[in-house]
Amino acid sequence: MAHDPYKMLAEPFSLKDYVVVITGAGGAIGAATAHVLAAAGAKVVVSDLSLETAKQAADNVRAWTGQDTLAVRTDVTSESDQKALVDATLERFGKVNALINNVGWGEYTPLWDVSMEYMVKSYILNTVSAYSMTKHFLPHLKEQENASVTFSGSAVGTTPSPEFISYSNAKAALLHMSRSIAALAGPHLRSNSIVIGSVDNGEATLKAGYDQAMLKRLADSFVMKRRGTPYDIAYAFNFLISPAASWITGLQMTVDGGGSYKSKMPTDD
Ligand SMILES: NC(=O)c1ccc[n+]([C@@H]2O[C@H](COP(=O)([O-])OP(=O)(O)OC[C@H]3O[C@@H](n4cnc5c(N)ncnc54)[C@H](O)[C@@H]3O)[C@@H](O)[C@H]2O)c1
């Protein structure tokens, strides 16, 4: 019997008939992910704190792929907004197959200059909101085959990063939480995270305390000698959500251009 190469390889990566919700989808990585997932066949709910950027990203995705999209204004730190996002998704598309908890933010803060309030605020934005969002989507995700939640982790959550103490602690907790969810919510829900290295997101990284010279030094220190593009991360999300990854849960997938593989015997160059 002849084999069908499409069924064998391309189909497992297809997101045809999937409905995917992405938070922070007006930003660099979220918007690129919305484009890639829609290109793979998904209907994407583009949610962001800014309705204007959410609408812009959703319009671009629709124009580029022809897929149906929905833009929703959501502050992920508000539980009523989280519930409203669930309702809006179900009202428009009738189901949800995958949730990407992508919102996150951190900036340079000298180690001993951080207040308790700031630490807690960072934890709520980067970690607690993702927990609560997942909790509210869970009953609906569980109704679908190959349902998943995927988190935008960070390389600063896997290596000591005293310059980003509040953000890095919160991202470390996020990775741990993703594995805990994998252990408890399976087999009905897969839970994975991407450990993201430095990705070009325009102004946002500059606002976080970097300058161009620092970014060049950072890029030069990576094995791949460049910072990532948002699409480098978007393709990883596509894989983790797709049927091709249906036996993968509890994974921390590092996508960082080899940033974590610096030589232990450094030379001058
Ligand atoms: N860019 C990088 O180098 C990098 C590295 C490691 C991890 N990450 C992580 O990847 C994710 C996406 O990063 P990015 O580079 O695309 O950032 P970005 O700043 O370009 O986009 C973030 C988006 O989140 C939205 N947002 C902020 N607060 C929100 C809130 N309370 N509710 C809803 N939306 C909110 C913003 O409006 C923005 O559109 C984040 O979790 C970030 O921590 C990024």
Side-chain angles (χ1 to χ4, degrees):
M1 197 179 81
H3 293 285
D4 179 343
Y6 179 79
K7 274 200 179 334
M8 181 73 192
L9 189 59
E11 208 171 79
F13 296 91
S14 164
L15 299 180
K16 190 169 175 290
D17 298 329
Y18 274 53
V19 175
V20 184
V21 176
I22 307 174
T23 68
I29 292 170
T33 303
H35 279 76
V36 166
L37 303 192
K43 296 179 178 67
V44 182
V45 179
V46 178
S47 134
D48 201 280
L49 185 59
S50 154
L51 182 59
E52 197 188 329
T53 51
K55 272 187 172 158
Q56 200 173 33
D59 287 349
N60 289 342
V61 168
R62 201 177 307 114
W64 197 61
T65 63
Q67 286 290 352
D68 201 1
T69 56
L70 174 66
V72 183
R73 187 210 170 265
T74 310
D75 178 350
V76 295
T77 64
S78 152
E79 199 159 9
S80 59
D81 278 15
Q82 295 166 7
K83 290 177 183 166
L85 181 60
V86 175
D87 291 345
T89 302
L90 296 178
E91 191 180 317
R92 177 64 168 270
F93 295 121
K95 65 165 187 169
V96 56
N97 301 82
L99 167 66
I100 297 181
N101 283 302
N102 170 63
V103 169
W105 164 253
E107 63 190 332
Y108 167 74
T109 31
L111 181 58
W112 302 118
D113 271 5
V114 187
S115 66
M116 276 176 65
E117 288 74 16
Y118 191 96
M119 291 291 277
V120 170
K121 214 173 150 193
S122 176
Y123 189 52
I124 290 174
L125 177 72
N126 288 292
T127 313
V128 179
S129 69
Y131 163 75
S132 184
M133 187 70 88
T134 307
K135 186 175 78 175
H136 290 301
F137 270 101
L138 183 63
H140 311 286
L141 286 164
K142 280 168 74 172
E143 288 173 5
Q144 305 304 320
E145 246 184 67
N146 194 35
S148 66
V149 57
T150 316
F151 300 86
S152 281
S154 171
V156 301
T158 57
T159 51
S161 307
E163 300 87 354
F164 293 89
I165 189 72
S166 55
Y167 175 62
S168 65
N169 279 11
K171 285 293 191 184
L174 184 77
L175 297 176
H176 201 54
M177 188 179 81
S178 167
R179 293 190 301 262
S180 292
I181 291 173
L184 273 188
H188 309 290
L189 181 81
R190 298 184 298 108
S191 172
N192 296 297
S193 47
I194 301 183
V195 177
I196 301 172
S198 183
V199 168
D200 186 354
N201 58 6
E203 289 293 306
T205 304
L206 299 175
K207 283 187 192 148
Y210 289 86
D211 60 36
Q212 294 296 353
M214 288 163 95
L215 291 176
K216 166 131 182 38
R217 280 201 298 279
L218 195 60
D220 287 346
S221 75
F222 296 160
V223 174
M224 299 310 293
K225 300 291 175 205
R226 67 169 175 88
R227 296 175 70 217
T229 73
Y231 284 92
D232 289 321
I233 310 304
Y235 294 123
F237 276 120
N238 190 154
F239 168 63
L240 286 174
I241 289 169
S242 73
S246 65
W247 207 46
I248 296 179
T249 193
L251 179 71
Q252 279 180 203
M253 180 191 267
T254 300
V255 185
D256 70 347
S260 49
Y261 285 91
K262 288 179 194 153
S263 171
K264 303 293 181 289
M265 296 186 75
T267 56
D268 287 341
D269 45 23

